[in-house]
Amino acid sequence: MNKNEISQYLFKKRSAVELSRWLRTVYFPEITTRFNNEEFLKRFALYQNEKIPTNERNLTDVRTRMGVLIEFELARISNDLFHESNVHNIFLSYVVANRFPDLEVRDNSGNRYLRFEIKCLQCKAEEKSANFDTLKKDIDPSSDFVIVCLWDWVDQKNKNIEWDSFPKIFKVFIFHAYSLASLRDTYWLNNPPQDLGEGYQGFDIRYAITCKKGIYSKEQGNYGKLTRIKTKADGFNYSPQETAELIDTENEYNLFKEEIIFLGFKIIAQEKKHLGMNSISLKENGNTYGFKKNHTAFLLSSKLNKKIFHETSFYITNNLTQCIVMTDKYKSTIYKLKNKEIKKIKTDIKPKKIIDFIDPV
DNA sequence: GGGATCGTAAACATGTACCC
DNA sequence: GGGTACATGTTTACGATCCC
């Protein structure tokens, strides 16, 4: 990344699609690499058996706080990078009011160029529902991008810094904000609740408005939840205009949704208390649908073509005695093979409670 | 899919003690 | 009673889930 390149892109002298691709393949990968460096990570890491909350309520708070800190550090790294590249008339500024977006590229005169809304999601969170609810009227198609960072804690020792675990950014996804909002609104407007009554679902000047039995109310905070923007197979009655930015964003969205659900599943399966890091991938046609170690397997239901966990042949072929099958929100069902019969041991339980019902690996 | 929750960070509103 | 300085209570908004 050189001075010329940074100026060209950050001063938005390129099309939205070019910008999207550059942010995705050049700019954010560089920032992420720098973030995932021990000198940075040591400021976030957990040391000397420190514990963070495990109960749902406070776990969420930690995630919220991590989101703010990661956002701040990404901006800081970015500003360092500009300096290194000898770019002094451009910087990322923090938007301190609670409004869209989070970060804005400015020059020393205060002129505004690219704008970033940063969303940080912990992969193994049971429901990834950070929401992007900025209305289209507040989004500038030429400059606004939604940046989604997937992160999680990694239990891995380091020879220089004696931490127990550190937060790693696994992947960053870049969305053209206006296109993401178009996809969101098309899906939402085409899927109103069943009990609208005589009313409609739509927007007022500030919010999404929904309706129940003819009574209007401000939408409850589900609008724009990132993993509910759309499902891959959705056909729209009224499609958004298929611009190059929209197609780019839709592709990125499908990748994002698949990746974060799978990464969260992988992290849970490979936790120390479950299979551990050195488990074996279970694949079909090069597509990983689960992990196994010794006689235990973890399977991601949405990756399976058929319900192999009901078939004794699957257990015999893979030398398994138990399978933990997870939904996209990681609700789990445990099956065990006993006397050539498959029995459902426990169903619909949270990942952290699984351990009580599975045999030691 | 719809709804509820809670930490954080305020802004705004009301209550109370005290001094003059 | 009026003014003032705190103290306490209420409401609002955001963000990120979690629950049913």
Side-chain angles (χ1 to χ4, degrees):
Chain A
M1 226 181 306
N2 60 38
K3 187 175 179 175
N4 185 41
E5 188 181 2
I6 291 173
S7 308
Q8 283 284 311
Y9 283 92
L10 293 187
F11 282 144
K12 59 174 186 177
K13 290 178 180 164
R14 300 295 174 100
S15 73
V17 172
E18 287 174 311
L19 282 167
S20 224
R21 291 188 183 147
W22 181 75
L23 293 172
R24 189 178 299 141
T25 56
V26 181
Y27 181 73
F28 276 101
E30 173 65 25
I31 293 175
T32 309
T33 304
R34 291 180 180 219
F35 181 94
N36 286 334
N37 171 289
E38 65 183 30
E39 279 306 303
F40 252 91
L41 295 174
K42 72 179 185 185
R43 301 203 283 261
F44 282 95
L46 301 175
Y47 298 86
Q48 300 181 352
N49 211 23
E50 262 174 315
K51 298 288 180 219
I52 49 174
T54 53
N55 67 79
E56 289 78 12
R57 183 59 195 87
N58 302 94
L59 188 60
T60 301
D61 306 337
V62 174
R63 287 174 180 157
T64 305
R65 181 162 165 72
M66 283 299 291
V68 176
L69 291 171
I70 290 171
E71 174 189 322
F72 170 75
E73 285 290 18
L74 294 182
R76 211 164 81 115
I77 291 169
S78 185
N79 283 328
D80 287 350
L81 199 139
F82 297 156
H83 264 265
E84 278 174 34
S85 308
N86 216 16
V87 177
H88 298 292
N89 187 30
I90 198 166
F91 57 93
L92 271 182
S93 63
Y94 310 112
V95 176
V96 293
N98 271 318
R99 64 161 175 85
F100 175 84
D102 295 313
L103 305 171
E104 294 176 331
V105 174
R106 287 183 188 268
D107 63 18
N108 289 341
S109 305
N111 297 313
R112 226 164 46 180
Y113 302 94
L114 291 198
R115 309 199 300 170
F116 302 136
E117 172 77 8
I118 314 279
K119 304 282 180 192
C120 296
L121 313 187
Q122 186 175 353
C123 299
K124 64 180 265 192
E126 284 153 46
E127 188 172 359
K128 269 68 74 165
S129 41
N131 43 9
F132 173 54
D133 59 0
T134 307
L135 297 185
K136 282 167 82 174
K137 70 179 177 58
D138 297 321
I139 299 172
D140 181 341
S142 74
S143 64
D144 297 353
F145 293 88
V146 177
I147 316 297
V148 179
C149 298
L150 313 190
W151 70 275
D152 217 311
W153 295 102
V154 178
D155 285 334
Q156 207 175 304
K157 300 287 180 207
N158 180 294
K159 62 181 188 299
N160 300 319
I161 302 153
E162 296 178 39
W163 62 45
D164 298 333
S165 56
F166 61 91
K168 179 179 176 181
I169 295 181
F170 286 91
K171 183 119 190 185
V172 178
F173 289 91
I174 312 294
F175 303 98
H176 179 242
Y178 194 86
S179 298
L180 190 64
S182 297
L183 288 170
R184 173 197 67 195
D185 290 354
T186 306
Y187 183 61
W188 190 68
L189 292 169
N190 276 292
N191 290 279
Q194 298 297 307
D195 51 355
L196 274 175
E198 293 298 304
Y200 299 94
Q201 181 160 272
F203 311 95
D204 76 357
I205 194 75
R206 287 185 301 167
Y207 314 114
I209 300 292
T210 190
C211 186
K212 193 172 185 173
K213 294 175 180 155
I215 298 165
Y216 289 95
S217 58
K218 179 175 181 282
E219 199 281 337
Q220 314 88 332
N222 298 307
Y223 170 69
K225 280 182 176 175
L226 282 180
T227 46
R228 299 186 191 181
I229 297 264
K230 65 185 279 292
T231 59
K232 202 172 181 176
D234 280 330
F236 295 132
N237 291 334
Y238 303 94
S239 297
Q241 195 188 352
E242 286 207 350
T243 58
E245 304 90 90
L246 188 103
I247 292 165
D248 176 82
T249 297
E250 192 170 8
N251 288 339
E252 183 81 342
Y253 181 77
N254 291 335
L255 288 173
F256 152 74
K257 196 162 162 182
E258 194 168 339
E259 178 107 12
I260 189 166
I261 290 167
F262 183 74
L263 263 179
F265 162 72
K266 183 179 174 185
I267 287 165
I268 293 167
Q270 296 185 340
E271 278 178 346
K272 268 185 199 153
K273 62 184 177 183
H274 297 144
L275 300 176
M277 296 291 277
N278 51 347
S279 58
I280 299 164
S281 299
L282 292 164
K283 291 184 183 183
E284 192 179 3
N285 303 327
N287 192 10
T288 302
Y289 60 84
F291 298 92
K292 69 159 255 185
K293 188 175 178 183
N294 301 333
H295 308 300
T296 304
F298 277 67
L299 310 175
L300 183 60
S301 181
S302 59
K303 288 267 191 182
L304 298 172
N305 294 323
K306 53 179 184 168
K307 298 189 173 178
I308 47 176
F309 46 89
H310 287 314
E311 297 171 6
T312 48
S313 59
F314 174 70
Y315 291 76
I316 293 162
T317 312
N318 289 289
N319 195 16
L320 297 171
T321 56
Q322 56 183 351
C323 280
I324 297 95
V325 183
M326 292 190 162
T327 69
D328 284 358
K329 290 185 185 180
Y330 314 134
K331 286 194 172 182
S332 312
T333 308
I334 300 168
Y335 298 91
K336 292 186 186 177
L337 181 69
K338 276 181 185 161
N339 305 324
K340 296 183 181 171
E341 268 187 50
I342 299 161
K343 285 194 172 150
K344 191 192 275 188
I345 303 297
K346 198 80 188 170
T347 191
D348 211 22
I349 49 175
K350 298 167 83 64
K352 67 177 182 181
K353 294 194 172 168
I354 296 175
I355 197 72
D356 299 335
F357 299 95
I358 57 178
D359 299 329
V361 174

